[in-house]
Each structure stands twice: as C-alpha cells, then as structure tokens.
Amino acid sequence: MIALDKKVEWQQPLVTIPEQNWDVVIIGAGPAGAIAAVHLAAADHRVLLLDKEHFPREKICGDGLLPDAMRCLDYAGIGKRVRQCGHLMHTATIVKLPSSTIDVPGTYLTLKRCLLDTMAAQRAVEAGAVFAHGRVDRIFVRADESVSFAIRGNNKKYTARIGIIATGANVRLLKEMGWFVPRKPSAVALRGYVRSSFDLDHLVVAYVKSLAPGYGWIFPLGNREYNIGCGLSLRGAPNSSKNLRKFFDDFINEFPLARELMQSGTIIRPLRAAALRSDFEGVYPFVKGPLITVGETIGTTLPFLSEGTGKAMETGQLAAEIVHMALISGDITKLKEYPERLTNDFKPRYQGYRTAESWIAKPWLSDFVFGRIQKSKYLGEVLSGIMAETYNPRELFSVNGIVKSFWK
Ligand SMILES: Cc1cc2nc3c(=O)[nH]c(=O)nc-3n(C[C@H](O)[C@H](O)[C@H](O)COP(=O)(O)OP(=O)(O)OC[C@H]3O[C@@H](n4cnc5c(N)ncnc54)[C@H](O)[C@@H]3O)c2cc1C
C-alpha cells in the first residue's frame, strides 16, 4: 500500500541520476507514460520516466475506470491492487432532466487519480524503470537520430535512443517544437471532491437541457466521498464561451441530486478545471523520427464518454510494443507502424462515439433516443455494451439501430 502523506522515495531527484544514454526516455508519468514504462522496463530496456510533478500528484479527473482501463491494468500486473483500493459499482445511472432515468448495468470502478497514477508509476519502478522528477523544456533530435532533452534547472546531458511523449492534454512542449496542434482542446471540465452524509452507490451522469452539449457527474469514491463535476464540449458548441464555473452552478441548481449532495456535504478539495483532447484532436504527426506520442497528447479520450484513462493506457501499451521492436531490431523506422496501427485499430472505434456525442448534443434527438432506450430492453443492453466497448455505438445511434429497437 502506498503512503500518500509523504513524497514517494522511488521518484528520484534528477540530480542523483548520472548522465547516461538511455534506451527510452518517457516524458510524463500519467497512465499513458507509466504503462509504456512498465512494459518497456519489463522487456529489459533501460527506461527513464520523467514527470514535472512530485508524486503523488493530483490529476483533475472524474476518477472513473471502465473495463478498457482494467484490462490494461491487469496486463501491467496491477489490476488486483487497483481493485483492492478502488470502489466497485455495478450500475451507472444516466439522467436526462427533467424526468428520464436509465440504469446501465456494468462494472465500474473509481479510484482517485493521485493514487492510481502513483500505483502505475510504482509498478514501472518495480519493473526496472528509473522514475525521476524533472520538467522537460525541450527535446532535440540529434544527427544520429537519437534524442537529447533539456530539463529545467539541470545542465546534465541525458540522451536516449527513443523518446515517448506522454504529457497529456498539455501540448506546449510539442507546439513549441513546431508540431501541428489544433487551436483549442475538445472540451473543458471541472471537478471537486465532496464529503457528504449522502448515500449513493452508483455512478450518476446527468444531461441537463441548458447544459447541452455538456453534462454533469457524481462519482462515489467510497467512504462517503464523491467526485462531482461537469464537462463542456468545445466542438462546434454554441455555448462554448460559457463560463465553466457558472455551468457547474447551473448543474447544481437544476439537478436535485447534485443539490442535495452539495447541501449535505463539505467540499474537501476545491473545484479545479482542466482541458480534454478527444477524438485524436491532439498533436500531429504521431511519430517523428525517434519521437513517438501517446495518450491525451494525441487526443485519445473517447468522445461521448469522455473516458480517457483507459485509452491513454492502451496507446502506452501499443507504443511500448512497437518501441520494443524498434529497439531490438536497431531500426527506428519500425516506429512508423504506430500511426498505421492507430489508424487501423483505434480510429475506427472512435467514429461511433463521435456520432453518439453529436446526437446527445441535440436536445430533441437525445429526448427521442432516451425515450426509445426506456422502452427497449435490447437498447438498454446496447448502452451497457457501449460503456464496456463490446457494442459499437452505431448499434444505438443510427437510424438502423433505432428501427431495430421497435421489434427487438
Ligand atoms: C475534469 C476531468 C474529468 C475526467 N474524467 C475522466 C474519467 O472519469 N474517466 C476517464 O477515463 N477519463 C477522464 N478524464 C480524462 C483523463 O483524465 C485523461 O484522458 C488521462 O489523464 C490522460 O492520460 P495521459 O497519461 O495521456 O495524460 P495525463 O494523465 O495528463 O498525464 C500527463 C503527465 O505529464 C506530465 N507532464 C506534462 N508536461 C510535462 C513536461 N514538460 N515534463 C515532464 N512531465 C510533464 C504531467 O505532470 C502529467 O503527470 C477526465 C478529464 C478531466 C479534465
């Protein structure tokens, strides 16, 4: 069990690490970077994992984990530990105000990200990676196609054969290096932690008409603690100029459950906001020479569900597989397989979620879909499968899907 009240010793100050040539440097120890580090270190590569924050660090997130995340954590050897520390639930309730409610059965886990990310980084260290504190200000590709990087406040010269960039929705580093970045993120979201006498043991996601195209959530964390927040899509949104804090206040005022939770509780961590990059609205290209990008840096968060932790880990896992092949063959052109795999295996899975997000953003259409789901057992099953990624959202969010629901 990780002690969270003190700085973890296994994240070393960079000054203690001698100058040397690494096989891989990974910049950013969120889920994408840490999972890549686990697999590469386990394959006996010399891995330096860097993060600008001292761990355990807070990450603004809803703290919800869906089955894709659990599969990656199992594969990395920490699924059991995460299940022991997390809060397991079997229902997600989707509310469409004023009065529609759908209970979606499934396997849902919550675990505060400061704990989850610490566990993943700790697993990377167990596998043999060196984890250090350092903010990377610049990455250089050298004449021999290896990588060197400038770390704030440290003049030592570190180099690596391959660099993995996993800095999350924060794309400043690559933007300054001239990589293409879309003008704005896909969404912004805000969350706070509340302790309350309120008793709730299922995830709640609420769509409130005045908040479209956004939503609010209440995610129980166990021990009467709740993660409460709201997100606002910026993609073609008519109200994208809306103030996020005002949006949160509207959510509390218009959703009785949220109001009750806030009235009966105290905020134990203040509301904080962060950006999301979904549907591959991140940096481009995914690979440049010896540099490869993973997770939210390339926009891996799923539209509609805003689920990004599992998807970040999936790309970290895929990148590790391809970087391993490049390292053992000594041929960095093998990294080119990564964009191909993203285009063929990942991107097609996002299309249905994008359609679902655009349907839900239209109040008349979402009212209609909610009405159909409430009447059709089959569509209820489909919705459950959409959360678990066992059904393509097109099964529900398409004319065919809706027509099918009339006889299934
Ligand atoms: C409010 C909110 C709620 C969300 N809710 C959920 C949810 O419930 N479930 C879910 O699955 N997803 C959720 N997401 C999305 C999820 O948080 C992200 O998709 C996920 O964190 C992406 O992981 P990552 O590893 O790519 O990046 P991150 O987790 O952001 O990690 C990036 C790391 O890089 C480090 N870093 C950045 N720049 C540098 C630098 N220059 N040098 C060194 N280190 C650097 C950062 O300190 C950070 O530790 C939510 C997002 C938000 C904003």
Side-chain angles (χ1 to χ4, degrees):
M1 182 72 186
I2 300 159
L4 283 177
D5 52 345
K6 59 172 196 242
K7 302 258 178 279
V8 276
E9 285 136 24
W10 42 269
Q11 186 184 17
Q12 307 178 30
L14 201 64
V15 283
T16 62
I17 295 171
E19 290 186 7
Q20 59 175 286
N21 188 14
W22 298 84
D23 290 328
V24 191
V25 59
I26 302 176
I27 302 160
I35 290 296
V38 170
H39 295 299
L40 285 163
D44 281 341
H45 300 296
R46 290 166 306 129
V47 177
L48 176 62
L49 175 64
L50 290 170
D51 203 286
K52 65 182 173 57
E53 302 293 334
H54 288 285
F55 275 50
R57 62 99 176 85
E58 265 206 77
K59 162 72 181 93
I60 301 159
C61 185
D63 302 325
L65 295 171
L66 290 180
D68 64 339
M70 294 316 301
R71 279 192 292 274
C72 289
L73 291 164
D74 282 332
Y75 189 56
I78 46 169
K80 194 169 165 203
R81 279 186 225 169
V82 168
R83 283 185 190 86
Q84 277 166 354
C85 297
H87 183 64
L88 179 67
M89 286 156 286
H90 297 287
T91 308
T93 301
I94 302 184
V95 182
K96 178 99 178 50
L97 291 176
S99 57
S100 314
T101 298
I102 302 164
D103 282 338
V104 187
T107 304
Y108 309 105
L109 200 88
T110 51
L111 180 62
K112 283 186 184 169
R113 281 290 301 277
C114 64
L115 192 48
L116 176 78
D117 291 16
T118 300
M119 286 173 148
Q122 188 184 46
R123 177 77 191 100
V125 173
E126 278 172 12
V130 170
F131 181 32
H133 172 250
R135 177 193 288 267
V136 175
D137 277 336
R138 191 86 193 180
I139 308 164
F140 306 93
V141 175
R142 300 171 353 141
D144 65 353
E145 292 247 277
S146 67
V147 178
S148 68
F149 37 99
I151 298 162
R152 190 167 298 180
N154 185 309
N155 293 326
K156 286 188 186 163
K157 301 248 172 314
Y158 300 98
T159 56
R161 290 164 70 191
I162 291 176
I164 300 182
I165 294 129
T167 54
N170 179 347
V171 291
R172 194 184 53 81
L173 187 61
L174 290 174
K175 197 173 171 184
E176 284 173 5
M177 289 165 61
W179 290 44
F180 174 76
V181 179
R183 202 174 50 83
K184 59 181 183 185
S186 326
V188 283
L190 166 157
R191 71 99 175 93
Y193 290 127
V194 171
R195 183 168 293 125
S196 170
S197 55
F198 199 75
D199 201 7
L200 182 73
D201 209 23
H202 48 101
L203 301 182
V204 177
V205 177
Y207 294 93
V208 183
K209 213 173 245 172
S210 66
L211 306 189
Y215 58 91
W217 69 82
I218 304 171
F219 289 175
L221 295 161
N223 299 322
R224 304 272 157 125
E225 278 190 30
Y226 297 89
N227 181 317
I228 181 165
C230 65
L232 177 65
S233 171
L234 300 180
R235 303 197 301 161
N239 58 354
S240 59
S241 59
K242 200 164 175 172
N243 173 303
L244 195 56
R245 178 57 213 240
K246 161 88 174 56
F247 187 73
F248 182 78
D249 291 341
D250 289 350
F251 168 55
I252 302 298
N253 290 334
E254 292 182 41
F255 185 32
L257 196 66
R259 198 166 54 239
E260 223 179 301
L261 178 81
M262 295 301 279
Q263 279 168 356
S264 62
T266 41
I267 295 187
I268 51 173
R269 273 272 197 275
L271 296 169
R272 284 183 64 196
L276 289 99
R277 291 188 181 273
S278 57
D279 205 13
F280 291 95
E281 289 177 340
V283 301
Y284 193 81
F286 305 136
V287 168
K288 233 189 215 185
L291 299 175
I292 179 164
T293 52
V294 292
E296 209 157 20
T297 304
I298 54 170
T300 46
T301 296
L302 269 184
F304 177 57
L305 296 182
S306 292
E307 191 270 344
T309 307
K311 287 284 154 288
M313 290 193 260
E314 281 185 13
T315 51
Q317 200 175 292
L318 173 65
E321 189 191 307
I322 288 165
V323 167
H324 171 66
M325 295 310 293
L327 287 171
I328 56 169
S329 64
D331 176 7
I332 65 155
T333 64
K334 292 223 179 295
L335 296 184
K336 289 186 184 149
E337 208 184 293
Y338 179 66
E340 269 171 44
R341 297 274 297 273
L342 287 178
T343 305
N344 298 335
D345 305 350
F346 273 73
K347 279 191 167 179
R349 289 197 264 148
Y350 282 62
Q351 276 160 11
Y353 290 89
R354 191 185 317 137
T355 307
E357 186 178 90
S358 66
W359 279 41
I360 287 293
K362 295 184 184 75
W364 65 270
L365 197 49
S366 62
D367 281 347
F368 174 70
V369 174
F370 261 73
R372 285 305 317 142
I373 299 171
Q374 283 178 314
K375 290 194 183 97
S376 160
K377 195 165 171 265
Y378 161 72
L379 285 190
E381 265 169 41
V382 174
L383 191 55
S384 180
I386 290 172
M387 308 280 265
E389 285 185 75
T390 51
Y391 267 101
N392 186 322
R394 299 300 289 260
E395 279 292 315
L396 166 56
F397 297 95
S398 66
V399 175
N400 265 353
I402 295 293
V403 170
K404 229 197 265 180
S405 75
F406 282 94
W407 72 83
K408 270 197 149 181

